[in-house]
Amino acid sequence: MQKTIEVTTEALEMLEGLKSRNKKIFSKFFYDAEGSRIFQQIMGMPEYYLTGCEAEIFETYKRRIGAMFCSQCLSVDLVELGAGDGRKTRILIEDLLSENVNFRYIPVDISEEAVLQLGDAMQGRFPNLNIETRVGDYFNMLEDLSRDYPNRKVVMFLGSNLGNFNYDQSITFLEQLNAAMGADDLLFIGLDLKKDPEVIRNAYNDPHGYTREFNLNLLRRMNRELGADFNPDYFTHEPCYDSGTGAAKSYLVSNREQEVYFSRIDETISFRKWEPIYTERSQKYDLEMIHSMAESSGFKITENYFDNRQFFVNSLWSKQ
Ligand code: AVI
């Protein structure tokens, strides 16, 4: 008897983008267990300066930031959206614990494996930490946020994760976040700034090939989950950066005319030679743009924290 392997709605959603006229794969699909593992390699390489810059900001301003999170409040819930491996957040957590701040840490991530690993690692490192892990995407988290959290919430959205949305999507997301937050809650957001284009290009076209593997993992994921027969060698990783708009974008370009068969759903998708699949946007910001995003989504900027080179900003927002 033939064994049927269940095809998830998520996997089917991946295929939807490939059926549209301008082929795309939504960037949330990067983060299966393998993609989350490769992303950790990306964060560990020097070319991907974002991680180091944010860690530098936390090291430099941790006491100031911690005091802003909770100076007079009785207790605070730190909700981290897209927590990944939490390597930078550790710096803030350590500070809050050493200051005896009463807080709960609630990391949320779309990858169950990543968030469980994070929970174990954090609890192992900080046995007294009150931690509650959650699996989910940002949008279903927003509903939980408005329901389940009676304490002051500080929503952390770090690592320039917002940059994976375009401007309109960012405003919609921030507005939804705003609506889910109480009057006293805060949003702590990490955003990558415009800089020498060469620095940005090296971060997304790294010499180790990790970013290429991260991009190609989308095809391998479809092979695993949809029984597709993508040959990754038949697609070229194409990162590009436009300093005019501040958008770094990634594509997978079909380097030949080809057909890909998805055996689990018995469908075929055709690719023309040099037809691109749009896979990711990583927006780079200037302060004007950050101001306008905060303003248009019902927030005001309380404080900005920069690294030494002004490559990155962590911005603390409250409701208008
Ligand atoms: C998670 N996100 C903010 C990363 C970025 O920079 O857009 C994902 C990434 N893609 C390639 N390298 C890193």
Side-chain angles (χ1 to χ4, degrees), residues 146-165:
S146 41
R147 229 184 12 238
D148 300 350
Y149 298 91
N151 298 326
R152 169 186 243 187
K153 292 186 290 284
V154 176
V155 180
M156 299 195 291
F157 197 43
L158 306 177
S160 210
N161 280 338
L162 187 76
N164 296 137
F165 295 142

Side-chain angles (χ1 to χ4, degrees), residues 31 39 42 48 50 159-161 164 204 211 214 280-282:
Y31 305 95
F39 185 50
I42 292 178
Y48 194 70
L50 290 80
S160 210
N161 280 338
N164 296 137
Y204 292 89
T211 316
F214 184 63
E280 192 180 39
R281 177 191 195 96
S282 304

Side-chain angles (χ1 to χ4, degrees), residues 77-91:
D77 284 328
L78 291 190
V79 182
E80 182 172 4
L81 302 180
D85 71 354
R87 70 177 77 180
K88 296 154 295 182
T89 318
R90 252 184 252 153
I91 302 167

Side-chain angles (χ1 to χ4, degrees), residues 122-142:
M122 284 288 193
Q123 202 71 84
R125 192 176 176 120
F126 306 114
N128 296 331
L129 176 66
N130 185 352
I131 178 169
E132 184 191 310
T133 54
R134 296 241 176 162
V135 181
D137 70 22
Y138 305 147
F139 289 96
N140 44 57
M141 251 332 279
L142 293 176

